[in-house]
Amino acid sequence: MLGLAASRKIAWSLTAKPDEELIAEVLGGDSAAFNELSSRHRPRVERLCQRFFSDPEIARDLAQEGFIRAYTALRTYRAEMPFGGWLRSIVINLCYDELRRRKRRPEELVGDFGAPEVQWMHLVNEASPENIVGDAEERQEAHDLAHRLLDTLRPEDRMVMVLKESEEMSVAEIASILGWSEAKVKIRAFRARQALRKQAERMLAVGRRR
Amino acid sequence: MNCFEARQEFPALWRKTATPERSAEVYSHLKGCAKCDHAFRVFALSAPVLHSAVEPERNAAEFRRRVAYRAQRGLSVTRPAREPRRLLAMCAGMMVLFAASTAAYLSVAAPIGSYTDEITNSDSGYEFPVDTAPTSNDFAG
């Protein structure tokens, strides 16, 4: 299975055009080449958006908006950085703007948890770590609850958490994409971790009580 | 394995990318360390978003079609245009400020002649009434 996947990947890398070549074709007037670019980078871009927004519609809209902006700004793209990284920085800034625009920042967790969510919190409290890891994949409520937890963060804190933890970006990379100083990124990351831990502790307490 | 090493492995454990031996070591550490066990449970609440592979939407062809259509026409996506709320609020604030300052100016505008002119200028025609004019006795002791 793994061998088949690897051989497919090798075959793909031999036949697929590099991003730079496709970009040159788009700039030369072949807009169909952009389809190839977008399908190549789409899964990663959508995944990134889904880490910020639980609503799949919003995530998909933002991914589309990212590709459209990339298309219209393609002439400004310089080949010194990979196209994927350039596109990612566009999408990150879009998501950040959207987070700030929504300003949905309930500082406290709302107490109206549904039965499946409470069940998941109870399981996180009581089950063994092996079972927690095993069960999380199957449960939509685990995903929803995690989004609710992250919704309590300030937009800039959430941004830093996702970029650092999920995208595994360095402090310097985050600072360069968001136009912040490295010190600001470090401070925000520290505060975000503190705030997230505090809210998660509260959630665990809810799971223990019920 | 110490606490720091165990906690470093949480993301790999969640993504199931840690080797079976390493995973077993972490689980064994968690059984014996209450603090790390609690830290893992706190971690598990946000991990489904922060540390899992989120499934991208399946309909790739539809996605490509929509992007191509809108990009070629220079359109934005279907979300409503953003309202320039901040700008509107600033304009309204400036108008209120202007109105208030104009009203204040008109209500407290200085008279054409000063008070000193009024009492020293003989042409002003103003005289203290005889019965209310201050005398030297009024200022004594």
Side-chain angles (χ1 to χ4, degrees):
Chain A
M1 190 73 179
L2 208 67
L4 185 67
S7 62
R8 274 187 187 163
K9 199 172 179 182
I10 290 166
W12 179 85
S13 65
L14 288 174
T15 54
K17 291 177 184 173
D19 285 352
E20 286 68 30
E21 204 173 308
L22 288 170
I23 290 165
E25 285 177 17
V26 177
L27 291 176
D30 178 13
S31 56
F34 195 74
N35 281 348
E36 173 64 29
L37 265 179
S38 72
S39 61
R40 192 176 288 181
H41 293 279
R42 182 181 138 269
R44 197 167 176 202
V45 166
E46 281 202 349
R47 206 158 42 232
L48 177 61
C49 294
Q50 283 170 22
R51 292 198 198 277
F52 292 110
F53 301 98
S54 55
D55 185 344
E57 273 291 308
I58 296 170
R60 199 185 55 203
D61 278 357
L62 284 168
Q64 282 182 24
E65 182 82 45
F67 278 108
I68 291 161
R69 287 206 184 171
Y71 181 82
T72 49
L74 206 55
R75 289 197 185 279
T76 64
Y77 168 69
R78 296 284 169 267
E80 289 96 53
M81 81 185 290
F83 176 74
W86 182 72
L87 178 65
R88 185 169 66 167
S89 64
I90 290 175
V91 174
I92 286 170
N93 277 300
L94 262 177
C95 290
Y96 184 40
D97 287 347
E98 187 65 19
L99 278 178
R100 284 194 299 181
R101 195 180 72 83
R102 292 181 169 262
K103 283 186 183 168
R104 203 161 58 83
R105 292 196 277 125
E107 298 295 340
E108 302 294 326
L109 282 168
V110 188
D112 54 342
F113 295 112
E117 289 176 332
V118 173
Q119 202 183 356
W120 169 244
M121 284 190 279
H122 188 71
L123 190 136
V124 171
N125 265 308
E126 303 295 329
S128 68
E130 291 97 322
N131 287 346
I132 296 172
V133 173
D135 273 22
E137 262 182 31
E138 311 296 325
R139 290 174 177 263
Q140 179 61 36
E141 60 268 24
H143 194 259
D144 294 344
L145 211 58
H147 265 295
R148 279 181 73 168
L149 188 59
L150 288 164
D151 279 348
T152 62
L153 296 180
R154 295 160 65 93
E156 52 268 40
D157 290 354
R158 182 170 188 164
M159 185 54 67
V160 170
M161 279 305 280
V162 169
L163 298 184
K164 209 160 184 308
E165 301 293 328
S166 309
E167 298 293 307
E168 294 175 342
M169 290 170 70
S170 68
V171 169
E173 279 177 298
I174 298 171
S176 124
I177 285 180
L178 295 175
W180 296 354
S181 68
E182 290 190 18
K184 182 177 175 181
V185 175
K186 285 179 191 168
I187 290 167
R188 289 260 69 105
F190 176 75
R191 288 186 182 162
R193 271 196 296 272
Q194 297 268 57
L196 198 64
R197 192 179 305 133
K198 194 173 156 190
Q199 296 292 0
E201 297 274 3
R202 285 182 184 174
M203 228 180 224
L204 284 177
V206 171
R208 273 196 294 272
R209 275 202 302 271
R210 296 195 189 179
Chain B
M1 177 176 273
N2 62 31
C3 294
F4 178 76
E5 288 168 339
R7 291 180 193 205
Q8 289 288 99
E9 290 294 326
F10 285 174
L13 204 65
W14 195 267
R15 290 173 180 155
K16 295 178 181 161
T17 52
T19 60
E21 298 79 32
R22 196 72 176 158
S23 302
E25 272 186 75
V26 179
Y27 286 134
S28 155
H29 177 86
L30 293 180
K31 274 189 187 122
C33 177
K35 280 189 177 175
C36 286
D37 181 73
H38 182 71
F40 178 79
R41 291 173 199 280
V42 167
F43 166 87
L45 285 174
S46 61
V49 168
L50 289 180
H51 295 286
S52 292
V54 186
E55 193 65 19
E57 214 182 310
R58 297 279 178 207
N59 195 352
E62 171 64 13
F63 180 87
R64 278 203 305 274
R65 192 191 63 73
R66 284 176 66 178
V67 168
Y69 174 81
R70 295 196 159 267
Q72 280 167 12
R73 281 156 186 77
L75 297 173
S76 181
V77 290
T78 49
R79 286 178 298 131
R82 292 174 185 178
E83 292 172 31
R85 286 184 199 156
R86 191 173 291 178
L87 193 66
L88 280 174
M90 280 174 65
C91 286
M94 282 172 69
M95 283 169 69
V96 168
L97 200 66
F98 179 75
S101 57
T102 308
Y105 174 78
L106 293 175
S107 64
V108 298
I112 294 167
S114 69
Y115 179 70
T116 318
D117 292 339
E118 292 272 342
I119 59 173
T120 54
N121 190 356
S122 57
D123 294 338
S124 65
Y126 184 84
E127 286 178 9
F128 283 110
V130 175
D131 53 339
T132 58
T135 63
S136 58
N137 288 338
D138 290 334
F139 303 105

